[in-house]
Amino acid sequence: MQREIHSPKTLRGEVTPPGDKSVSHRAAILNAIAYGEARVTNFSPGADCQSTLTCLKALGVEIKEMPSHLRIVGKGKEGLREPDNVLDAGNSGTTMRLLTGVLAALPFLSIITGDSSLRSRPMGRLIHPLRLMGATIWGRGSDTLAPLAVKGGELKGIEYRLPVASAQLKSALLIAGIFARGQTMLEEPAPSRDHTERMLRAMGVKLEAHGSMIVLSPGTLSAMDVQVPGDISSAAFWLVAGVIHPNSRIKVKGVGINPTRTGIIDVLRAMGGKLQFENTREVGGEPMADITVESSELVGAEIGGALIPRVIDEIPVIAVAAALASGKTVVRDAAELRAKESDRIGTVVKELSKFGAKVEELPDGMIIHGGNHLKAAVCHSHLDHRLAMSLAVGGMVSKGRTVVAGAEAVDISYPGFWSDFERLSAG
Ligand code: S3P
């Protein structure tokens, strides 16, 4: 499917982003292996979180999808049974990696696969430490790629330094660690999103942080109701659209502002973006706020180091803002972008260049020479949801008719994106 975009005269109004994708996956998976019944409200409507539910159901978990919430009946890991078919994680790296952490502890054979994008993403980083914990696990491509075959069983805790700052990897090992003998100790090269740690603690697991080391003791989980905050990674498209559009004022409501996710706020503020927070509150252990943005004059920024894991999913849309900012923006230390739903360094450089942006590719990032007007372009999402929405934001500030091919990719995390765009354009 392709979508045509004409730059709207104004971007005004209020928008509520969908439930956070990362928190939704965790609420479903952790409650599925907990004891008791839980209600999850504002669960992400995206296809990725549906993939998690489909896999959990195939493992025998009782999940009822009501219009207003999800009901999950957890019977511990004993409540899960051998799936009678291959598990399909679709496009979702979080589904595959976190669930593999569960499968590693289950005493039967599971095979998990995904779409062609997910089957090209690195899994060796997961297979290696799970084997150290005692799991029997194989992958295609000499144990580097999915499909993965897992014959789980008895696990032991390990002390392990993660080779990359990856919340998916960290979470998979923490989940396996719940069922292991002895403690699991993980050291991250830089802090990544900590939703798993927050939820595990709230569900009764002993988990401590000693400097950059996370120490988890095995235990059982008690079911917990979760109210999922709005996804800051979906809000990011409106935050950027709001600051770069010349006639805008957008209030983005109910946005999760966990500090491990707010790199986008820090970057936009450093670039001169006008953002205001109100109604800051805490919901189910996660902070949340309404954020208002308006047209701003932007300057380039340096983005690298420990900021990268806090802003990793927002770099494609930041690149759009950087193309319009005055001066140069340099993104470094972000080689992980190449291992996302698309190679987001290659695809961002290629597609943004079609708008007349001056972008240079680096092995671990990009240099964006700003100060240009963008011209409308015919571009492609590469079936990457965040790229589709970033290109749409580019189209919102480009003269002429922009076409985004592969526009259906937004359904992965934000199925209401196009209708929210139409509403804000009419505002
Ligand atoms: C996610 C972690 C991030 C992020 C992804 C979702 C998660 O990946 O890019 O979209 O839910 O844990 P990493 O595992 O590379 O941190």
Side-chain angles (χ1 to χ4, degrees):
M1 175 188 121
Q2 66 177 40
R3 197 79 202 200
E4 261 189 40
I5 295 157
H6 294 271
S7 175
K9 285 206 171 58
T10 60
L11 270 180
R12 287 185 180 268
E14 293 186 352
V15 62
T16 304
D20 188 89
K21 188 159 84 67
S22 293
V23 175
S24 296
H25 284 297
R26 288 155 172 82
I29 294 172
L30 297 183
N31 273 309
I33 56 172
Y35 291 90
E37 262 189 53
R39 280 166 75 101
V40 182
T41 43
N42 200 32
F43 189 78
S44 163
D48 268 10
C49 292
Q50 272 304 321
S51 295
T52 286
L53 297 186
T54 308
C55 290
L56 289 173
K57 286 178 187 168
L59 285 159
V61 181
E62 190 185 327
I63 299 177
K64 283 241 157 56
E65 293 175 69
M66 323 287 211
S68 64
H69 67 277
L70 210 66
R71 192 171 137 266
I72 305 175
V73 183
K75 297 184 182 142
K77 83 172 162 79
E78 299 73 27
L80 277 65
R81 58 164 164 72
E82 185 172 79
D84 59 15
N85 205 343
V86 172
L87 299 170
D88 187 0
N91 191 243
S92 174
T94 311
T95 305
M96 179 167 284
R97 296 201 177 103
L98 269 60
L99 271 185
T100 300
V102 176
L103 301 177
L106 300 176
F108 47 70
L109 178 74
S110 308
I111 298 168
I112 186 161
T113 192
D115 69 7
S116 60
S117 154
L118 186 52
R119 280 183 277 114
S120 71
R121 295 178 63 185
M123 295 298 153
R125 56 176 69 173
L126 179 66
I127 293 177
H128 176 67
L130 286 176
R131 277 186 178 162
L132 294 178
M133 294 180 83
T136 306
I137 168 167
W138 302 275
R140 195 170 55 88
S142 309
D143 299 324
T144 60
L145 298 169
L148 308 178
V150 190
K151 175 76 171 53
E154 297 286 308
L155 300 178
K156 58 176 188 300
I158 51 170
E159 183 174 339
Y160 192 68
R161 186 178 157 80
L162 307 179
V164 280
S166 160
Q168 293 176 356
L169 174 57
K170 170 179 67 177
S171 302
L173 302 181
L174 290 175
I175 292 171
I178 300 168
F179 305 114
R181 219 174 346 97
Q183 291 183 321
T184 294
M185 295 186 236
L186 304 177
E187 194 174 357
E188 284 192 282
S192 64
R193 63 194 68 192
D194 67 354
H195 307 297
T196 305
E197 294 92 307
R198 286 173 185 245
M199 222 179 268
L200 284 176
R201 278 201 194 101
M203 294 172 89
V205 169
K206 187 167 170 234
L207 190 146
E208 290 165 353
H210 298 290
S212 59
M213 183 78 91
I214 303 166
V215 182
L216 170 124
S217 302
T220 51
L221 306 184
S222 308
M224 183 179 82
D225 292 345
V226 179
Q227 190 189 334
V228 179
D231 199 329
I232 190 167
S233 298
S234 298
F237 302 106
W238 306 122
L239 300 180
V240 170
V243 294
I244 62 178
H245 191 282
N247 188 351
S248 76
R249 188 177 169 84
I250 306 174
K251 185 187 235 184
V252 195
K253 294 173 78 176
V255 184
I257 50 164
N258 177 315
T260 59
R261 298 284 298 281
T262 47
I264 177 72
I265 306 289
D266 300 349
V267 170
L268 288 181
R269 283 200 166 136
M271 293 177 83
K274 295 182 199 154
L275 291 91
Q276 268 173 14
F277 279 52
E278 346 162 47
N279 199 9
T280 303
R281 62 241 191 230
E282 188 154 318
V283 178
E286 292 278 349
M288 210 159 102
D290 301 338
I291 307 172
T292 301
V293 279
E294 57 186 321
S295 316
S296 313
E297 293 287 323
L298 298 186
V299 293
E302 299 266 329
I303 305 168
L307 176 58
I308 293 295
R310 297 179 53 238
V311 72
I312 189 77
D313 290 341
E314 290 67 68
I315 290 174
V317 76
I318 287 172
V320 177
L324 294 154
S326 59
K328 190 168 85 172
T329 294
V330 183
V331 179
R332 283 204 182 275
D333 309 317
E336 270 296 298
L337 283 175
R338 296 201 183 271
K340 296 295 176 188
E341 286 83 331
S342 69
D343 164 0
R344 285 186 181 153
I345 296 178
T347 53
V348 166
V349 171
K350 179 168 179 201
E351 299 303 319
L352 261 194
S353 303
K354 294 179 181 169
F355 287 82
K358 297 199 177 68
V359 198
E360 277 175 64
E361 184 165 348
L362 302 173
D364 66 341
M366 61 191 87
I367 301 176
I368 304 140
H369 301 274
N372 300 295
H373 288 290
L374 297 184
K375 60 177 194 321
V378 175
C379 54
H380 204 292
S381 72
H382 297 256
L383 302 183
D384 178 336
H385 56 132
R386 300 206 197 280
L387 190 62
M389 292 183 271
S390 302
L391 297 172
V393 171
M396 289 177 206
V397 291
S398 300
K399 243 196 151 108
R401 168 182 165 269
T402 288
V403 175
V404 181
E408 69 278 12
V410 307
D411 291 349
I412 289 294
S413 57
Y414 194 168
F417 177 79
W418 298 112
S419 59
D420 282 347
F421 170 49
E422 274 162 28
R423 215 166 31 74
L424 291 170
S425 313

